[in-house]
Amino acid sequence: MSEMKAADDSVINKAVGNKDLKENEHDWAAAKAFFDNLGSKKRPRPPKPQNAITIAVSSRTLFNMVKERQFYEDEGLEKYVQYQEEHENEPLMPGAAFPFVKAIMTVNARLRELYPDSEELFDIVLMTNNHAQVGVRLINSINHYDLTIERFCMTGGKSPIGYLKAYLTNLYLSKDSEKVQEAIEEGIAAATMFNIEKEIQLCDNQLRVAFDGDAVLFSDESEQIVKEHGLDSFFEHEKNFENKPLAQGPLKCFLEALGKLQRKFYAKNERMDCPIRTYLVTARSAASSGARALKTLRSWGLEIDEALFLAGAPKGPLLEKIRPHIFFDDQMFHIEGAQQLGTIAAHVPYGIGQMYNKGKLKEESPKKK
């Protein structure tokens, strides 16, 4: 009898065990489904760096941190970190690069609709020399504005430039002109951004990027002739070398990256509804020197959506009509003129033009009480 009871107990235990196992499997499946569902509501995962177009943005460019910067300069690092911890639940205000980042996210959303499995997307990296303890406020601010930024590089006071290549950076935006210069010398497209003087309404369904030509998309070869020998020599030089492509400038690679994504929309018959639009806004004259610029782009296999040849006229009024999310120029007086009319402008410190018309833009700090 005892053997039969033991056998019965064994059968019962096995049945109970199987039941428990099935219940555990069911519970696990339910839990997995729950967390998978949660994941679907979160921000999409960033693409692999080797597939992405990586934009590295400093914290002071993404957010307006003028007040925080002043506090740091007045009180020192320790009190600055303490201040940021005490205010970590207060979102930082948007900075100069904020509209550009939001527009990039719009492009990514469209790309994911057309190519659900593709990782050829923009990826934003927050690249800052802030202390890691400040990271909580930055993360909270990013979450507050629902920005898709998952990669951080916080260097605790050290220059982040050495990390740019490791992050496979295609464009670096900062408020620190020395770091931008260092990045360009390392062969990385970079520009210095300044606080917005006048806010204007920007397009919310299309990323608009405007480029100057010489010393931005192209080398400063032609500008050297203008500065050293005058306009007559420049026009003669451009006519003689009309069919010789200009050497590339520091931001040619970024236009190339934009073109790569544009072609993904063209392949889906979305050319007329493409969420990326590019502009060449140049002081060149069309008849006298415009052909070489356009032929250079053609030789690179690149397109520009709109080309505006201003023959030396101010760029600000045209840019006010375009309303780009970012405008790149190597001349500070063009940057200042554009900003006065509400254009978000970025200075590319490259070429002979840096010896002339340096401009007066600088980050303003709150007045001390």
Side-chain angles (χ1 to χ4, degrees), residues 53 55 100 122 170-173 189-191 207-218 223 249-260 262 276-284 293-294 297 300 302-310 315 318-319 322-331 334-335 338 343-348:
I53 294 172
I55 314 296
F100 177 63
F122 286 110
N170 295 93
L171 176 68
Y172 172 57
L173 299 174
L207 169 65
R208 297 180 181 178
V209 183
F211 299 88
D212 178 32
D214 295 296
V216 175
L217 291 180
F218 315 126
E223 280 201 1
L251 262 68
K252 180 253 188 180
C253 56
F254 182 56
L255 176 61
E256 200 168 34
L258 292 176
K260 178 182 177 182
Q262 282 181 310
I276 302 173
R277 193 161 186 85
T278 56
Y279 303 80
L280 173 65
V281 183
T282 173
R284 282 176 176 254
L294 295 178
L297 291 172
W300 292 342
L302 298 180
E303 296 184 30
I304 202 87
D305 293 305
E306 297 188 30
L308 306 175
F309 294 92
L310 304 185
K315 297 181 180 182
L318 271 296
L319 290 165
I322 296 170
R323 298 190 176 188
H325 293 89
I326 193 166
F327 163 60
F328 298 100
D329 202 292
D330 68 305
Q331 302 279 3
H334 286 313
I335 298 291
T343 295
I344 302 171
H347 179 236
V348 181

Side-chain angles (χ1 to χ4, degrees), residues 58-70 93-99 174-176 191-200 332 335-347 360-366:
S58 76
S59 56
R60 290 196 298 134
T61 306
L62 181 61
F63 298 115
N64 186 333
M65 299 179 69
V66 173
K67 182 174 69 173
E68 286 75 12
R69 179 71 177 181
Q70 187 65 57
M93 295 298 293
F98 189 92
S174 174
K175 293 180 71 67
D176 190 322
T192 309
M193 300 196 74
F194 305 93
N195 289 333
I196 304 168
E197 294 182 5
K198 170 186 172 184
E199 290 190 15
I200 60 173
M332 285 301 297
I335 298 291
E336 291 170 342
Q339 277 206 309
Q340 288 169 5
L341 296 177
T343 295
I344 302 171
H347 179 236
K360 300 177 181 178
L361 274 178
K362 62 180 180 179
E363 180 177 8
E364 294 183 2
S365 298

Side-chain angles (χ1 to χ4, degrees), residues 126-354:
L126 191 70
M127 185 76 62
T128 174
N129 62 353
N130 254 302
H131 193 281
Q133 292 302 317
V134 181
V136 174
R137 190 178 188 193
L138 293 172
I139 290 169
N140 288 343
S141 298
I142 285 168
N143 289 335
H144 173 79
Y145 295 109
D146 197 28
L147 301 178
T148 307
I149 303 178
E150 299 291 350
R151 302 191 206 279
F152 273 42
C153 180
M154 308 189 70
T155 61
K158 302 295 184 181
S159 173
I161 301 304
Y163 293 102
L164 290 174
K165 286 187 177 179
Y167 276 87
L168 304 180
T169 302
N170 295 93
L171 176 68
Y172 172 57
L173 299 174
S174 174
K175 293 180 71 67
D176 190 322
S177 59
E178 292 183 2
K179 290 188 178 69
V180 168
Q181 182 71 60
E182 189 179 345
I184 287 178
E185 289 172 359
E186 290 292 320
I188 296 167
T192 309
M193 300 196 74
F194 305 93
N195 289 333
I196 304 168
E197 294 182 5
K198 170 186 172 184
E199 290 190 15
I200 60 173
Q201 187 66 39
L202 300 174
C203 182
D204 60 3
N205 61 4
Q206 185 180 62
L207 169 65
R208 297 180 181 178
V209 183
F211 299 88
D212 178 32
D214 295 296
V216 175
L217 291 180
F218 315 126
S219 72
D220 68 336
E221 166 196 332
S222 298
E223 280 201 1
Q224 288 184 38
I225 294 171
V226 173
K227 301 299 185 187
E228 295 174 0
H229 303 290
L231 276 174
D232 290 340
S233 295
F234 165 73
F235 291 139
E236 182 180 355
H237 178 269
E238 293 304 286
K239 182 179 179 180
N240 292 337
F241 291 93
E242 177 181 318
N243 295 313
K244 180 183 178 183
L246 290 153
Q248 72 177 49
L251 262 68
K252 180 253 188 180
C253 56
F254 182 56
L255 176 61
E256 200 168 34
L258 292 176
K260 178 182 177 182
L261 293 187
Q262 282 181 310
R263 287 191 292 275
K264 292 176 73 68
F265 290 99
Y266 301 164
K268 295 287 188 178
N269 199 29
E270 295 275 334
R271 178 180 284 270
M272 299 305 295
D273 196 31
C274 181
I276 302 173
R277 193 161 186 85
T278 56
Y279 303 80
L280 173 65
V281 183
T282 173
R284 282 176 176 254
S285 305
S288 305
S289 58
R292 191 180 186 196
L294 295 178
K295 287 183 177 181
T296 295
L297 291 172
R298 184 192 301 165
S299 73
W300 292 342
L302 298 180
E303 296 184 30
I304 202 87
D305 293 305
E306 297 188 30
L308 306 175
F309 294 92
L310 304 185
K315 297 181 180 182
L318 271 296
L319 290 165
E320 188 179 22
K321 299 298 182 183
I322 296 170
R323 298 190 176 188
H325 293 89
I326 193 166
F327 163 60
F328 298 100
D329 202 292
D330 68 305
Q331 302 279 3
M332 285 301 297
F333 68 92
H334 286 313
I335 298 291
E336 291 170 342
Q339 277 206 309
Q340 288 169 5
L341 296 177
T343 295
I344 302 171
H347 179 236
V348 181
Y350 177 82
I352 194 172
Q354 305 317 301

